Structure formats: C-alpha cells, structure tokens
Amino acid sequence: MIDLKFIRSNPELVRSAIFNKNEKADLDALLAIDDRRKKLQFDFDTLKSRQNSVSAEIANKKKNKEDAGELITQMSSVAEELKGISTRLGECNQDLEKLLLTVPNIPFESVPIGKDEACNRIVKHWGEKPAFEFEPKDHLSVAEANDLLDLPRGAKISGSGFPIYTGFGAKLERALINFMLEFHLQKHGYTELAVPLLVNRKTMTGTGQLPKLEEDMYHVGEDDLFLIPTAEVPVTNFYAEEVLKQSQLPVKYVAYTPCFRREAGSYGKDTKGLQRLHQFNKVEMVRFVEPEQSYAALEEMLKDAEDILQAFGLHYRVLELCTGDLSFASAKTYDLEVWAPGVGRYLEVSSVSNFEAFQARRAGIRYKDQEGKMQFVHTLNGSGLATPRLMIALLETYQQSDGSVKVPDLLKPWLELTL
RNA sequence: GGAGAGGUGGCCGAGCCGGUUGAAGGCGCACGCCUGCUAAGCGUGUGUAGGUCAAAAGCCUACCGAGGGUUCGAAUCCCUCCCUCUCCGCCA
C-alpha cells in the first residue's frame, strides 16, 4: 500500500506508476473520496469535541446534585447527528481502503520502463550452455527413462499440474530442498521457519496477493482460508501488526513450503513436464530491513539465490524486470533464469524482490528508529529456489549419453544418508 | 463439538455497581544525578494514528481483541464474531 499522503502530494507519479505497471486503479475516485473523508472527519471531530465537553459538564452538574436535564435533551440531537456523520465516515473509510488496496507499488527509479517481458534488462550471465556430444533430451524423457516422475498418475488423483515424484525422483526432490535449506542456514545466516500452508484473508492481503489475485488462489470457502502460493505470504506476515526493535533488524528467514497456484489464464502455456505446476516445492528467503538497507539487501539476496545455482554448476542469467513485468507489490525485481538444454530455454527459478514499505504498510510491520520514531520496515523476498525448474535444469544438464543422469557430487551426501 | 475462564499501553497488571481512566501500580526502556567498577539507589520522561500550526509547544479527535447496540456520556452494560487458556468429547 502506498502512503496516502504521498499519493495526495504526488498524484502524477502514482498515476504513471499505475500505467507503467499495466495496472488499473481509479486514482481520481480515490482522491475524491479522500477529500470527502477529510471533511467528514473534521465535522466529526468538531461535533464530538462539543459532545465531550458538554458531557463533562453534565457529569459535573450531577455530581453537584444540580439539574442537567436541559443539557441532556440538548445533547440528544447532537448524538443523533453524530451518529449520521459517523456512519458516513465509516463508509467513506471503507471505500478509501478498498481503493487504496488496488494501487500498486511504485517502481524504483532505475527500473526500465516497458510494456512486457520483452523490455526486461539482462543483467548478467553465469557459466556457459553445456555442450553435448549427443542430442540432449528434455527432462520428461530423462525422468521417464529413470523412473523419476509419474505425471499421469498425478493427473489421475488430482489433475494436471500435480506431479508425483517416484523412487529416486522423490528422494532427489527431498535432497534438493534439504540442501538449499541448509545452505541458506549455514552459509547465509538465515533462520528457518516452518509455517502454515493455509492462511486467512487478512494475511493474503498483507503481502499484496489479495484483492488482485484472488482467482489465482486455491480457496477453502468453508473457512475462508487460502492455500499459500508462496512462503512469502506466511513468513512476511510473521510480524504483521507488530513493532520491531531496531536492534532486531535485519531479520532473515528461510522457509520451505509447497506452493499452490491455480494458474488461471495460463492454461496450455509451458505445460510440458515440470515447467508450470499447480503444486510445487520452494525454499523461500524473506528479509525485514531498515529502509536505508533494502537495496543493498536486495543485491545480497540475489547473490544468495545465485550461490545455489553456482553450487550446482548450472548456467543461468539474471534479468532486471521492467515496469510492465514487475509484480503488483514489487518496487524492483531480479529474475534468475536457469538454462534448460533439453527444452532449449531459460526458465525462471527465482524471483528476488524489494517491496520497500509496500507490504509493511499493508501488514502493519513497523520498527522504532534511532530517534524513537515509528517507521515501516522494508520487506524483501526471493526464491532460493523453486525446485521444479531446478530439477529440469539438473536432469537436462547432467544427462549422460547412456540415458542416465550424473547427479552433482555435492548432492551425494544428501542422497546417501544412512541410519 | 460441549462447559468454563479470559483478552487493557513494550511486558505484567489494576479498573469493569457508566461520568478528568490514555488509563493506578510494577517491570522494562531513555536521559540525568549519585557511586573506585558492577549492582543498588534517586530524579525526570516514556503509546499509536489523524487534525490544527510555517514548525515546535499547545490544543482537538480516535484507539482498552474486532464489529454493532443502549446512553447526553462506555475500557466499564447488551449482542455478534475472532483469539487464548482449562476441562470433557473426538481424532492424527
């Protein structure tokens, strides 16, 4: 959520942010309601002030055993009027809140302006596309040859996009998760959190998924709960409505969770194999930092995610997303795309974003600064990493001419744990 | 799911037969004093948000889980909901 004061004093800046992000938010309506609300609030305060002072007078008279009947009848009409204003004010506040929640975050000044992903800026490449002495197969063929996946049965019991990992495939998936978790814990200083997978509406609103993306969420109507699309949601909301001590910052959490996405509107796109799923596993990093630190933290998190890909020796590139590709809540985002030689494409395995105070303001996450002033923290998060496309890259990159897969050495200990 | 208890400031904890209670007291915290050091002690201060103001001070308004209601007036009374705890039931 954007500071209302900021919107009032920089309406054009906000307007262009909405435009550049391909969002639609009715700024004029918002400003008009804000105006109306201010007037109502003023009327309310004035009248309430009068009521308060007369009420005190009444109390005084009663204490002195004097007659207060006249004042009381006088005030009953004031109370009536006050009730009317208060109702209208309440409605006004609700409308304002609703509109405010549809205003996207403002892109950071350096973010390239552009309509869609074609305008994303390639920041760097790491490694090289692997060379093969044979025609590399795609991960589905590799998985099939090695009995690692059973997608048809996943589709049978749930639907397409719900993969089943079988035998060594399941073990490999588990090894990836554990390896990445421990990597961030031990090498990057994160603290682990294990969190709920179903969250309430307020939580979903806090990080910005709601109200915009409701149709992309799995919703349990009976309890009005949502399956999380990413651990970002429960982890960022860990501190919702709380005031942190400055000395606590920065806070760095890492969490593994399954993620659930309906992918409404993207049916038939990138559906082959593990490229796009309704349920997948992800290790997620989240940080809470002081505002001055957030862009340095963004670079650090990018590095944290890159370290995983580098450890696996996978070729990848880093993109800086343009305004049109930036998510609703983000001010700046890097995408990491790993090279998948089988499908012959770069696939997004991580998205690292700085939300500045946008989520903190929605979720009410604050801290007291050195002068004792209340400030919103800045929140960031980044995948570190999502497993399906990582799995794709590993299977396709490390496939052998005989059809087998040579798993990177550093995964061996995770695959050979003994009792 | 049934029965009971409870949700007050950073924390603990009074108030809860309605009227200076934004809220006693304590702890914590900040600053100052005192003191070989530490500890203790003493003093002062210590919520958030909105408005007014050039700004500060000051003043006004809101907030005692959330939302409604009663009343001239509600932390205090009534209703609904949420959450926590205890007991019972059920179940991994």
Side-chain angles (χ1 to χ4, degrees), chain A residues 171 174 178 412-419:
Chain A
K171 191 166 186 171
R174 187 157 48 86
N178 280 326
K412 292 249 169 74
W414 302 88
L415 292 163
E416 291 166 1
L417 294 167
T418 49
L419 293 178

Side-chain angles (χ1 to χ4, degrees), chain A residues 93-143:
Chain A
N93 274 326
Q94 268 184 13
D95 292 347
L96 187 68
E97 178 79 4
K98 222 185 233 170
L99 280 172
L100 213 44
L101 287 174
T102 66
V103 179
N105 199 1
I106 295 166
F108 187 60
E109 53 198 18
S110 70
V111 171
I113 293 171
K115 197 93 193 107
D116 52 38
E117 67 267 18
C119 301
N120 292 341
R121 183 187 290 153
I122 297 172
V123 176
K124 75 184 265 195
H125 285 267
W126 189 89
E128 280 170 24
K129 292 181 186 173
F132 291 90
E133 287 157 5
F134 55 96
E135 188 62 34
K137 300 194 184 84
D138 70 37
H139 63 287
L140 256 194
S141 313
V142 177

Side-chain angles (χ1 to χ4, degrees), chain A residues 246-247 249-251 288-295 297 367-370 376-378 380:
Chain A
Q246 188 182 30
S247 57
L249 300 174
V251 177
F288 303 82
V289 304
E290 294 174 61
E292 306 73 48
Q293 311 295 328
S294 69
Y295 279 95
Y367 78 103
K368 271 202 166 133
D369 69 13
Q370 260 148 352
F376 287 107
V377 301
H378 278 194
L380 302 97

